[in-house]
Amino acid sequence: MRLDKFVCKSTRLTRCEAQAQILAGQVSVNGQVATSAAMQVHENNCITLNGQPLIARPSQYIMLHKPANTLCSNIDGDYPSVFRYLPMTEAREMHIAGRLDADTTGLVLITDDGRWSFTLFNPRFACQKIYRVDLRDPLDCLAFHRIEREFNQGIMLPGESQLTRAATMTQVSSQQVLLRISEGRYHQVKRMFALVGNKVTGLHRQQIGEICLDVPAGQWRHLSAEEVASVIIGTEAFEG
Ligand code: URA
């Protein structure tokens, strides 16, 4: 990772403060004074700040229950960013692994581990996401099975050149279904239902892989070691 990122990860300094320390010649890598904040370093390197060895804090992994009318973005826009639900000390240097639309609620994973989030949302690894979908038009049994079959076979979304991956669906009520997809294209769920002539009126993500949302709206918690590992284990199982 970049040296300034490593310094942030192993201290309470912001990225700007870490860069200032590097420019001031206070940071050494393997005994040499570092001159570039962008220098690539490894956790095994001996990195010191003012002569004190730095040890990287372990990566952070958080689940947040995103309320409606919030943005999966690091900054506020038309709505407030979901990062306002996290304390600053947790939010620093973190990113969202798999964004939701402003009006979508539910499970958002936030981390500073880029490899982990890449695995989670890389279509090659087919990590399953479960959405509860509210629909404008009720589905009778026939319509449900027709759409289920279409989604299972894969559909061609407008402007795309590849069929969607096989999705599965369970009916909860005439106007609510659970949809399981293993990719995350732009507005995917809303576009899938638009293509079959319906409209999503409410969307909530309740599960990603083995990780199930279990905190109330606006609340967050750290993931357990098992939840973090489940992404890697799931990936290995898929690749192997
Ligand atoms: N699909 C959508 O259409 N919107 C989301 O927020 C997530 C999946």
Side-chain angles (χ1 to χ4, degrees), residues 10-89:
S10 51
T11 63
R12 289 280 163 198
L13 297 180
T14 64
R15 186 70 80 106
C16 278
E17 289 165 347
Q19 288 169 351
Q21 293 291 325
I22 294 164
L23 286 181
Q26 306 296 336
V27 177
S28 296
V29 179
N30 297 333
Q32 302 278 317
V33 173
T35 51
S36 164
M39 172 183 183
Q40 289 294 311
V41 294
H42 188 268
E43 294 187 7
N44 292 344
N45 293 146
C46 174
I47 300 169
T48 59
L49 171 63
N50 296 320
Q52 298 299 312
L54 296 180
I55 296 165
R57 274 187 301 140
S59 295
Q60 308 284 303
Y61 306 89
I62 282 173
M63 83 156 56
L64 170 77
H65 186 154
K66 176 189 178 296
N69 301 329
T70 56
L71 294 183
C72 279
S73 151
N74 287 66
I75 50 168
D76 292 343
D78 289 343
Y79 297 106
S81 156
V82 292
F83 276 98
R84 72 166 46 196
Y85 293 96
L86 298 181
M88 257 331 276
T89 49

Side-chain angles (χ1 to χ4, degrees), residues 66 99-105 131 181 183-192 200 203 205:
K66 176 189 178 296
R99 293 161 193 273
L100 293 175
D101 299 336
D103 57 350
T104 304
T105 60
Y131 290 90
I181 58 175
E183 52 191 346
R185 303 189 198 188
Y186 181 67
H187 293 325
Q188 181 164 346
V189 178
K190 292 174 185 167
R191 289 164 70 213
M192 285 172 74
V200 172
L203 188 56
R205 184 160 66 196

Side-chain angles (χ1 to χ4, degrees), residues 133-191:
V133 188
D134 294 318
L135 296 168
R136 179 192 60 198
D137 303 330
L139 301 178
D140 61 20
C141 204
L142 258 176
F144 173 81
H145 287 296
R146 180 179 49 79
I147 294 170
E148 185 195 25
R149 205 169 37 248
E150 283 186 48
F151 285 179
N152 197 253
Q153 287 167 349
I155 55 173
M156 191 66 81
L157 293 171
E160 304 217 352
S161 54
Q162 273 198 325
L163 289 178
T164 52
R165 277 176 185 258
T168 60
M169 206 163 76
T170 312
Q171 193 156 22
V172 179
S173 68
S174 65
Q175 280 173 283
Q176 192 176 79
V177 298
L178 288 184
L179 180 70
R180 295 174 206 82
I181 58 175
S182 55
E183 52 191 346
R185 303 189 198 188
Y186 181 67
H187 293 325
Q188 181 164 346
V189 178
K190 292 174 185 167
R191 289 164 70 213

Side-chain angles (χ1 to χ4, degrees), residues 5 9 15 59-64 72-74 82-83 86 90-99 108-121:
K5 185 165 184 198
K9 260 190 97 158
R15 186 70 80 106
S59 295
Q60 308 284 303
Y61 306 89
I62 282 173
M63 83 156 56
L64 170 77
C72 279
S73 151
N74 287 66
V82 292
F83 276 98
L86 298 181
E90 301 294 338
R92 193 173 286 168
E93 297 294 319
M94 297 185 85
H95 62 268
I96 295 161
R99 293 161 193 273
V108 169
L109 297 175
I110 301 176
T111 182
D112 53 4
D113 182 346
R115 269 188 67 208
W116 189 80
S117 49
F118 176 79
T119 304
L120 202 57
F121 279 86

